[in-house]
Amino acid sequence: MDDIHSIGRYIQEHINQHWESRFQHCQSKMVEMYPHIGDSVYAIYGKQLFQQVHERFKELGLQASPRLPGSLMNSREWGENESERQRWMWSKISRSDGSAIGTVVIVVFHDHTQIRIPRAFQVIALKVSSPAAVIKALSEISPRSKMRLI
């Protein structure tokens, strides 16, 4: 798995197989924590969902920075209404020697009216890894995002 597109396919297959069961597993904890940390409860889910991916990456000598699904600092969010939001988060994927393979973008579908994941996250694999190149590529994919380098 040394090609960003094969890495992206691996992550998408993992999401497709586990997104619902992982959400059901951590939903009650998310509901419990929501009054204290708000929408940050989705990070609990993200950690659960991507734990096995990070373990596999370690076995293969790969690293995601920041850890999947990404960080709020490297993301953009929008949506038509509060119950159908999407946040695009990204992580640079590197080999153990530090050389970049590319970037994995995780489209995080979520709800701001209740704790809900309306559908499986989507993966976009990009051959670029610099912040400016990632934002340019994503802006071309979805001009609605109005992404800007900040």
Side-chain angles (χ1 to χ4, degrees), residues 78-92:
W78 68 92
E80 296 298 321
N81 57 60
E82 291 298 303
S83 64
E84 289 287 330
R85 304 294 295 175
Q86 55 180 287
R87 179 174 291 277
W88 290 30
M89 307 174 85
W90 55 91
S91 299
K92 177 177 154 181

Side-chain angles (χ1 to χ4, degrees), residues 65-71 73-76 88-92 103-106 126 129-131 134-135 138 147-148:
S65 180
R67 289 179 64 84
L68 295 170
S71 78
M73 296 297 292
N74 294 333
S75 73
R76 301 295 184 274
W88 290 30
M89 307 174 85
W90 55 91
S91 299
K92 177 177 154 181
T103 300
V104 169
V105 180
I106 307 293
L126 303 172
S129 59
S130 75
V134 169
I135 290 171
L138 293 178
M147 294 188 181
R148 302 221 188 321

Side-chain angles (χ1 to χ4, degrees), residues 24-42:
Q24 290 171 359
H25 176 75
C26 64
Q27 186 177 17
S28 62
K29 182 173 183 161
M30 293 170 69
V31 169
E32 175 188 329
M33 295 302 297
Y34 186 81
H36 307 287
I37 62 174
D39 286 337
S40 295
V41 297
Y42 287 107

Side-chain angles (χ1 to χ4, degrees), residues 43-66:
I44 295 168
Y45 172 65
K47 184 176 180 179
Q48 283 279 325
L49 182 60
F50 292 103
Q51 182 177 350
Q52 284 181 299
V53 173
H54 286 289
E55 290 169 4
R56 182 72 176 135
F57 276 13
K58 188 174 181 179
E59 292 170 5
L60 296 171
L62 300 175
Q63 181 177 7
S65 180

